[in-house]
Amino acid sequence: MQTSGQSTTAPGRGALANAPREPLPQLPVVDPVTPGELVELYRLMTAVRHLDRAAISWQRQGIIPAYAPELGQEAAQVGSALAVDTRRDFVFPTYRELGVARACGVDMVEYMATHKATWHGGLWDPAAAHVAPIQAVVAGSVLHAVGWAHGQTLEARGELPEDGYNVAITYLGDGASSQGDVHEAMNFAAVFKAPVVFFVQNNGWAISVPTEKQVAGGSVSARGAGYGIPALKVDGNDPAAVLTATRRAVAHARAGHGPVLVEAMTYRRGPHATSDDPGRYRTLEEERADAGADPIGRLRERILAEGAADTAALDAAEAAAAAEAEQVREGVLALGPRPGAEMFDLVFQETTDELERQKANWQEETESRKESEDA
Amino acid sequence: MPDTLTTPDAGTTEATTAPLELSLQGALNLALDEILAENPKALVLGEDVGTLGGVFRVTSGLAAKHGSERVFDTPLAESGILGMSIGLAMAGFHPIPEVQFDGFAYPAVNQIVCQLARMNYRSRGTLPMPVTLRVPSFGGIRAPEHHGESLEALFAHVPGLKVVSPSDPQQGYSLLRAAARMADPVIFMEPKSRYWQKGQVTPEGGAPSSKLSGARIARPGRHLTLVAWGAMVARCLQVAELAAEDGIDVEVLDLRWLKPIDGDALAASVGKTRRAVVVHEAPRTSGLGAEVAQVITERCFGTLKAPVERVTGFDVPYPSGDLEDEYIPNIDRILFGIQRVLEYKRG
Ligand SMILES: Cc1ncc(C[n+]2csc(CCOP(=O)(O)OP(=O)(O)O)c2C)c(N)n1
Ligand SMILES: [Mg+2]
């Protein structure tokens, strides 16, 4: 470093130019995934696969107007979700986290309500479920997770509770990683040492744009170092690896050591959404080559090879998943529109006279329209 | 929130404590101090709000008194400040974020409009957003670019937000106390050109007022109603004094809440005076003055003697200090507006 001509004994902050960077903290080691957990992962991933496939056909049948499939991301979603405890932790999903929501116990009809165009965000109670409403703004809730996580630190008044901090986990995609909010969130999280896990599903695509044209440097997790955030890059199609990585991340945050970044390398095997036409930007051969082995098939082989369960048990999981999808279908079909008054009633906690007037006017006009239709 | 209450006096609370002589900045500081003392879930966050006490010193001394966990500096990122506040509200806190200057609310618009304003709705009322966003607002201090903006029409247009602007120290104190008790997001627009103006402030002394919704009559009059908010209220009061010398008795209505707008107060005032001029600093086109004029027209069409007049900023980017006195409605322009309304002839 160049210094001014004057020699000085106290070079001030300039001296920091060559100060060594603090090494990134080591993440804790966790117990290996048990055979029982492998089977649980399989059960959930299969349920998610069936629901996801079913949702596509519901869209084709006109039951729901649109859907964003998670096909191929079951391992990343279920594996990561099983690492958090929604009795205390809080999950911030995007619009593609069917697998996360299912693994966190969100009611699947209430989840599908967002795709049925019943209510933006879904119908479940996010405050009770500790799963935030579906977020349709790319990277929209990443900062919310940081705020919620910092709230846990404040709640604890700087004293690490005996059972550690409650942890926020926020989901984002490779495309979302380009958003300025993600930079702000990671920087804030590191500055405040917030107990938050940034879980990136790098599925190779943001609609039609491949990761190579999205992520400078080729890796989202590499950015962690710049914030002093430890980061893990994991095979996102190996649910046990994802579960282990996310558990380590959660344990680190829980212990008060601050945020962790996990990048799960996976693949969006389906279209971006039911309205998308992937043929315009990738060929079937490319898809086949890039997708790799199906995560559910891989897990099945491993379970059978390790003797964690037998074929009959796995087939039973399959059958249960099919039955569940059918049940959810019936629930979705039965979902009627919400009462129009909710449009007005749910805007504020304390409504306004103007909104009440608009509601009364809407009600009056609706009534008189119905009357003239009936006449 | 009922918007029917119009208090004739500036005092909005029962006097349980002796009045204090305070600047608007001091009154806001007192309000924040009391809010932090009263509500353990209240937090103050933003750029330089901690050690420095904010660039306008509105948060001065609060970190030392209430702890640097509850009054804290954030990194310099407005979207981050708002997004974090949303998460804190989800965790049960009542954040009171500050955006340092009006023009820098723009980087946070996505979080304000698409997230803060909608979270209660999206979550079907299960994740309320008691967030009070303080924004030093409006012009008049010869500040650099982006430090003199009037964003009320933008915020008032967004479903899910409430918007309020105080005009003097008492209003600043009382309205901030009121906003910080609300379970919904409130954009609190502080007229920065009035920060150092002093006035009498009667603290609540533990007795919250119920009369803080809606507009208030800052000066009663018979011939014409001037509708204003923020720094324009004081200017309209000056104008009213000058008009009185010519025998024109002007009523000044301090709108206070820019959303919801107090239609009853507007109707009561203009129903009596039959003439109205709306004054605001923001550009004219699609400014809040148009909304106010429409509310008056709907409610008072039969009695109006002239169309509602607007005296506003121009449809130009906020100018440099040398020209801001031309841009912000000045006394003469407001008097011309009054004259046009008084001299209006039908047909
Ligand atoms: C702020 C914002 N810009 C654009 C969109 C439209 N959009 C929806 S999803 C998407 C791609 C997101 O890609 P990625 O973050 O990788 O998530 P993925 O869809 O692969 O799960 C885009 C551009 C949006 N929802 N929000
Ligand atoms: Mg993607």
Side-chain angles (χ1 to χ4, degrees):
Chain A
M1 202 207 123
Q2 291 283 320
T3 51
S4 67
Q6 268 179 340
S7 88
T8 160
T9 46
R13 298 207 134 203
L16 295 174
N18 295 321
R21 272 185 66 92
E22 266 184 48
L24 289 177
Q26 292 291 313
L27 294 176
V29 177
V30 296
D31 292 340
V33 172
T34 64
E37 285 170 341
L38 286 180
V39 179
E40 174 66 358
L41 285 164
Y42 185 86
R43 193 181 64 75
L44 284 165
M45 287 165 63
T46 311
V48 171
R49 171 69 58 89
H50 276 259
L51 282 164
D52 191 67
R53 282 256 160 86
I56 297 266
S57 47
W58 303 338
Q59 193 274 336
R60 303 286 184 246
Q61 294 159 22
I63 298 172
I64 61 177
Y67 178 69
E70 61 69 64
L71 184 68
Q73 297 177 219
E74 295 85 358
Q77 298 200 1
V78 170
S80 57
L82 279 193
V84 296
D85 176 359
T86 47
R87 286 168 305 182
R88 57 181 305 194
D89 302 326
F90 211 109
V91 178
F92 294 78
T94 74
Y95 45 83
R96 203 189 292 288
E97 261 76 71
L98 171 76
V100 175
R102 174 65 181 78
C104 291
V106 171
D107 180 275
M108 285 293 104
V109 176
E110 291 174 353
Y111 179 87
M112 288 295 176
T114 198
H115 301 298
K116 178 102 191 291
T118 311
W119 195 263
H120 288 316
L123 278 180
W124 76 92
D125 178 343
H130 277 211
V131 179
I134 285 171
Q135 175 61 257
V137 177
V138 162
S141 37
V142 179
L143 279 161
H144 307 171
V146 176
W148 188 90
H150 186 55
Q152 308 315 301
T153 318
L154 291 176
E155 206 69 75
R157 292 171 198 282
E159 285 265 331
L160 182 69
E162 235 169 74
D163 55 352
Y165 290 127
N166 304 326
V167 175
I169 183 167
T170 176
Y171 287 85
L172 62 144
D174 43 289
S177 76
S178 296
Q179 288 279 342
D181 270 11
V182 172
H183 160 64
E184 296 189 19
M186 289 186 182
N187 189 51
F188 273 52
V191 165
F192 292 114
K193 237 180 169 192
V196 55
V197 175
F198 298 97
F199 192 89
V200 180
Q201 287 173 84
N202 187 336
N203 63 4
W205 294 92
I207 308 187
S208 66
V209 177
T211 305
E212 308 86 80
K213 290 188 184 169
Q214 185 78 249
V215 180
S219 160
V220 181
S221 50
R223 294 176 187 170
Y227 303 104
I229 297 180
L232 294 168
K233 197 172 205 170
V234 62
D235 176 356
N237 293 340
D238 175 348
V242 174
L243 177 56
T244 300
T246 318
R247 275 184 174 155
R248 293 180 67 196
V250 170
H252 182 82
R254 212 183 282 307
H257 302 311
V260 183
L261 171 55
V262 180
E263 182 176 18
M265 303 307 293
T266 179
Y267 190 75
R268 197 196 77 208
R269 299 170 92 95
H272 169 70
T274 43
S275 54
D276 184 29
D277 176 9
R280 296 176 70 92
Y281 52 84
R282 65 188 197 193
T283 64
L284 283 175
E285 294 74 64
E286 283 166 341
E287 266 180 37
R288 237 167 265 137
D290 292 345
D294 173 25
I296 295 186
R298 273 174 68 184
L299 179 59
R300 191 179 171 99
E301 276 174 28
R302 175 170 171 187
I303 287 173
L304 294 176
E306 292 181 11
D310 58 15
T311 323
L314 299 187
D315 290 350
E318 244 356 283
E324 179 184 337
E326 186 47 35
Q327 217 178 354
V328 173
R329 178 180 195 270
E330 276 162 30
V332 170
L333 275 173
L335 259 185
R338 301 303 306 167
E342 283 190 351
M343 275 195 298
F344 303 93
D345 294 341
L346 294 173
V347 177
F348 291 116
Q349 290 282 314
E350 300 165 62
T351 193
T352 65
D353 286 2
E354 174 59 22
L355 212 39
E356 286 298 290
R357 271 191 291 275
Q358 292 180 18
K359 178 173 142 189
N361 191 41
W362 166 79
Q363 272 165 338
E364 246 169 62
E365 292 182 352
T366 309
E367 288 303 312
S368 74
R369 191 185 66 211
K370 275 194 194 130
E371 274 165 30
S372 62
E373 277 169 8
D374 292 347
Chain B
M1 183 174 62
D3 50 26
T4 51
L5 290 156
T6 307
T7 46
D9 58 332
T12 44
T13 56
E14 276 113 85
T16 51
T17 318
L20 306 165
E21 172 90 354
L22 288 175
S23 65
L24 173 62
Q25 169 269 342
L28 295 167
N29 183 261
L30 175 65
L32 287 172
D33 184 16
E34 291 182 6
I35 291 161
L36 285 161
E38 197 174 283
N39 179 0
K41 292 292 182 186
L43 301 171
V44 168
L45 65 154
E47 295 158 9
D48 308 293
V49 299
T51 312
L52 179 66
V55 292
F56 292 106
R57 307 292 183 266
V58 172
T59 57
S60 185
L62 298 178
K65 183 161 174 190
H66 299 281
S68 54
E69 311 77 39
R70 296 188 62 205
V71 180
F72 58 94
D73 290 331
T74 64
L76 205 169
E78 290 74 15
S79 195
I81 293 167
L82 267 296
M84 179 172 205
S85 296
I86 291 166
L88 285 164
M90 290 172 80
F93 289 90
H94 187 132
I96 308 177
E98 175 184 293
V99 161
Q100 203 161 64
F101 292 94
D102 33 56
F104 309 126
Y106 287 118
V109 162
N110 166 48
Q111 285 296 334
I112 296 171
V113 175
C114 303
Q115 306 300 335
L116 177 64
R118 289 170 188 236
M119 192 58 82
N120 186 73
Y121 194 71
R122 188 184 296 147
S123 71
R124 304 176 51 75
T126 64
L127 297 171
M129 286 289 118
V131 175
T132 312
L133 170 58
R134 292 183 38 250
V135 188
S137 291
F138 314 121
I141 62 164
R142 298 180 67 87
E145 198 179 4
H146 315 299
H147 295 64
E149 310 282 309
S150 301
L151 274 61
E152 66 269 28
L154 185 144
F155 291 134
H157 192 61
V158 176
L161 298 181
K162 293 174 180 175
V163 186
V164 67
S165 184
S167 57
D168 66 21
Q170 179 70 64
Q171 297 304 318
Y173 169 84
S174 298
L175 291 171
L176 186 51
R177 294 283 268 137
R181 280 194 194 96
M182 295 173 74
D184 293 305
V186 178
I187 313 293
F188 192 87
M189 302 178 66
E190 301 170 0
K192 62 173 91 75
S193 67
R194 307 294 300 172
Y195 269 140
W196 313 110
Q197 301 297 316
K198 291 204 165 168
Q200 295 274 308
V201 176
T202 305
E204 290 183 355
S209 165
S210 55
K211 294 185 185 165
L212 289 164
S213 53
R216 79 181 176 109
I217 304 294
R219 180 191 197 276
R222 289 170 297 140
H223 298 146
L224 178 140
T225 303
L226 280 178
V227 184
W229 51 90
M232 288 298 99
V233 173
R235 185 150 301 174
C236 287
L237 287 170
Q238 279 179 295
V239 167
E241 290 306 317
L242 291 172
E245 291 170 14
D246 293 334
I248 305 163
D249 191 13
V250 171
E251 177 149 304
V252 178
L253 189 126
D254 177 1
L255 197 58
R256 302 203 298 189
W257 288 91
L258 310 179
K259 186 178 193 180
I261 286 180
D262 187 349
D264 290 346
L266 287 170
S269 175
V270 182
K272 178 181 68 178
T273 62
R274 306 182 68 180
R275 295 177 179 91
V277 177
V278 198
V279 181
H280 62 63
E281 295 184 38
R284 167 169 308 214
T285 300
S286 299
L288 206 70
E291 185 68 31
V292 170
Q294 175 60 13
V295 171
I296 293 172
T297 306
E298 271 174 21
R299 304 279 297 258
C300 305
F301 185 64
T303 51
L304 274 179
K305 291 229 185 212
V308 179
E309 179 74 24
R310 289 181 286 169
V311 180
T312 67
F314 305 116
D315 289 355
V316 301
Y318 191 85
S320 279
D322 280 355
L323 290 174
E324 73 181 342
D325 290 341
E326 298 303 315
Y327 171 90
I328 299 175
N330 54 35
I331 287 175
D332 289 336
R333 283 177 58 208
I334 300 170
L335 282 169
F336 280 130
I338 290 176
Q339 194 180 358
R340 281 194 294 276
V341 168
L342 288 172
E343 292 175 355
Y344 178 80
K345 295 266 183 305
R346 259 171 219 275

